[in-house]
Amino acid sequence: MSRHLEVGERIVRTEALHGGITAEMRRLTIGTRDGGTRDLVLRTFVNVEHAEDWLNREACALTLLTGTGVPAPGLVALDPTAAHCEYPSLLMTHLAGRTVLDDEGLEARVPLLARQLVAIHALRPAERPRKYEASTTADTVVVPKGADAAAWAAATDVIRKSAPPYEGRFLHRDFHPGNVLFDVPPPSPAGARITGVVDWAATSWGPADLDVAHCSTNLALLHGPAWGLRFAEAYEEAGGVLAAAASERLYWQVRDGLAFSEEVQQVAQPWREAGRTELTTRAVEERLDAYVTALMDALG
């Protein structure tokens, strides 16, 4: 780690950053030669399968994003095989801002999220990242206790079909409020602006609908099903283009929603740690059921 610092610099403080599911994040405060400080972020995968692959993908994405206008961290150093660190790790620049998961000010933030995602999808890299990977199958869906059985059966049947054709786009693949940093000036959340987008380890090539669906599901579980349904509209209002047919849009929305059924507990815990203590596993399951049911009702 120290070999990637400037001459005369040293680590003076470390701070754990909360909110991640698969990786440990630490902010490193670096003492500079002139007596000042600067911050870096160390991303570490501890006992995580495919850590080397994920870190290499993120390093490639951060390199590609340099100079594009998308506010992403800058790559400082990479150790995907733990040759120098205790665990596979990536060192990057620190971005100002913070994640905002509160309901307050959401109406102002949703259009910002949508515009940022449109900008990401507009990127045309010289070398495409690998094709997206589906996160669930019809056979691995976990129906929540007390869920609308008919709606879930119908939703599961949707993803038994082959994926519809699509025009490929550069995808973040894990775009949601927990991976977006905001500058929120007091006292009004209406003046918020995005200062960064983080966690590029799952960068892929695939349909814009999939990224939109993923953010939609997160919004539905964080803030209620209506916000999940609203995000696709906001994306189009921001100039984004989704599948023309309602049935094709539904496929991606349902596929992402059902993927969450397998990991509700893992998703809800970081939200509670971030202050949303009311989002128990059961509460999130109920919102997921309501969202999946709303998606199927919208089709019919």
Side-chain angles (χ1 to χ4, degrees), residues 144-159:
K145 181 180 178 181
D148 184 323
W152 278 75
T156 303
D157 284 342
V158 168
I159 67 168

Side-chain angles (χ1 to χ4, degrees), residues 276-298:
R276 295 295 304 275
T277 54
E278 79 282 12
L279 293 180
T280 63
T281 298
R282 183 60 187 145
V284 175
E285 284 180 339
E286 289 173 350
R287 284 189 171 181
L288 179 60
D289 176 36
Y291 179 57
V292 169
T293 300
L295 288 174
M296 299 311 297
D297 286 347

Side-chain angles (χ1 to χ4, degrees), residues 20 44 100 146 164 193 293:
T44 301
V100 182
R193 67 182 181 89
T293 300

Side-chain angles (χ1 to χ4, degrees), residues 190-267:
R193 67 182 181 89
I194 290 176
T195 58
V197 181
V198 298
D199 193 356
W200 296 86
T203 303
S204 310
W205 189 261
D209 284 82
L210 190 53
D211 258 0
V212 172
H214 190 63
C215 191
S216 296
T217 307
N218 276 274
L219 289 170
L221 303 188
L222 271 168
H223 307 293
W227 287 105
L229 299 174
R230 166 77 182 109
F231 187 69
E233 297 174 3
Y235 179 82
E236 289 188 300
E237 290 165 2
V241 178
L242 295 173
S247 60
E248 293 178 355
R249 296 185 188 203
L250 180 72
Y251 176 89
W252 301 111
Q253 290 171 315
V254 167
R255 174 167 286 287
D256 190 83
L258 296 184
F260 273 75
S261 73
E262 302 168 38
E263 52 187 27
V264 170
Q265 186 172 351
Q266 297 97 300
V267 169

Side-chain angles (χ1 to χ4, degrees), residues 172-204:
H172 181 283
R173 196 61 185 95
D174 195 19
F175 186 86
H176 61 82
N179 281 333
V180 178
L181 305 177
F182 285 89
D183 173 27
V184 185
S188 172
R193 67 182 181 89
I194 290 176
T195 58
V197 181
V198 298
D199 193 356
W200 296 86
T203 303
S204 310

Side-chain angles (χ1 to χ4, degrees), residues 7 34 42-43 56 61 92 112 141 202 226 238 271 284 296:
V7 175
D34 60 6
L42 183 67
R43 178 178 175 88
N56 280 322
M92 65 191 113
L112 298 180
V141 172
W271 291 344
V284 175
M296 299 311 297

